[in-house]
Every structure is written in C-alpha cells, then in structure tokens.
C-alpha cells in the first residue's frame, strides 16, 4: 500500500499511526510513509539476519516507547526449571532492554 492509501485509511478511521509486524527490519522497528506507518519486528537475529528485535509500548496519551534488543545465546538446558508460577513463562528468562523514547 502506498502513501495515498495510508493517508486515506488514517483519515477515515481517525488514527495517526498504523503499526504492523511480520516483516524483518534491521533495527527492530522502522517508520515509513511520513511516520504514519511503523513496522515492529520482535524476533532478533531472524534467520541469521543480524537484526534487532523491538517492542512498542503506547501509553494512554499514545506516546511511543520502543525497546530494542539483540539475540542472546540460548544455553543448552536438558531439564528446565520454571522461572515463575505462570505456565507461559516456563522457558523465558529476563533480558535487559535498550529503552528509546519516541516523541514527535
């Protein structure tokens, strides 16, 4: 989709930003189309592309904060122990993120 379709979509839907995913970008996120479209890709080193991953947080005022991170070495674990009581967090560990404030 091009700039004209993005402008039309934003105007008709009363939004300022279209956030999309599922496209690898080198720095974890990338703005396009007059900063009305942002691609956020959360998988670092995707298919050995040496890219960073990113997470976008929006607060109640729609201020944007990006957290970027790189790939980490995954240790070989034969019998993993849960990190928390939450079943979905069984195999995840905390990593340090690089916080970037994005304000227009």
């Amino acid at each position: 989709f091009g700039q004209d379709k993005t402008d039309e979509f934003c105007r008709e839907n009363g939004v300022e930003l279209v956030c999309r995913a599922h496209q690898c970008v080198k720095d974890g996120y990338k703005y396009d189309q007059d900063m009305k479209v942002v691609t956020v890709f959360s998988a670092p080193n995707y298919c050995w592309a040496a890219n960073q991953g990113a997470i976008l947080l929006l607060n109640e005022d729609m201020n944007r904060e990006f957290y970027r991170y790189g790939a980490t070495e995954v240790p070989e674990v034969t019998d993993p122990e849960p990190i928390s009581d939450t079943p979905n967090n069984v195999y995840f560990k905390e990593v340090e993120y690089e916080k970037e404030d994005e304000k227009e």
Side-chain angles (χ1 to χ4, degrees):
F1 52 93
Q3 182 72 50
D4 59 334
K5 295 297 182 187
T6 299
D7 290 340
E8 179 183 347
F9 178 86
C10 289
R11 184 178 58 256
E12 288 181 3
N13 291 283
V15 298
E16 298 176 5
L17 179 69
V18 175
C19 181
R20 59 185 296 273
H22 301 293
Q23 178 180 350
C24 184
V25 290
K26 182 164 181 57
D27 295 323
Y29 70 95
K30 180 181 180 222
Y31 280 104
D32 286 304
Q33 301 187 12
D34 200 24
M35 292 189 68
K36 290 184 179 178
V37 176
V38 64
T39 300
V40 180
F41 195 71
S42 62
N45 203 28
Y46 182 72
C47 292
W48 303 275
N51 65 290
Q52 291 186 308
I55 297 170
L56 168 60
L57 298 178
L58 299 169
N59 70 12
E60 60 275 357
D61 296 321
M62 299 304 287
N63 291 322
R64 305 164 196 166
E65 290 183 275
F66 289 91
Y67 291 83
R68 294 190 308 169
Y69 49 92
T72 60
E73 286 189 32
V74 179
E76 185 175 326
V77 179
T78 55
D79 189 20
E81 294 183 28
I83 292 175
S84 75
D85 294 332
T86 307
N88 292 337
N89 289 336
V90 170
Y91 299 105
F92 292 95
K93 67 177 186 174
E94 291 186 26
V95 296
E96 290 187 25
Y97 296 101
E98 175 185 329
K99 179 180 175 183
E100 294 184 2
D101 290 331
E102 187 70 32
K103 295 182 181 170
E104 295 184 49

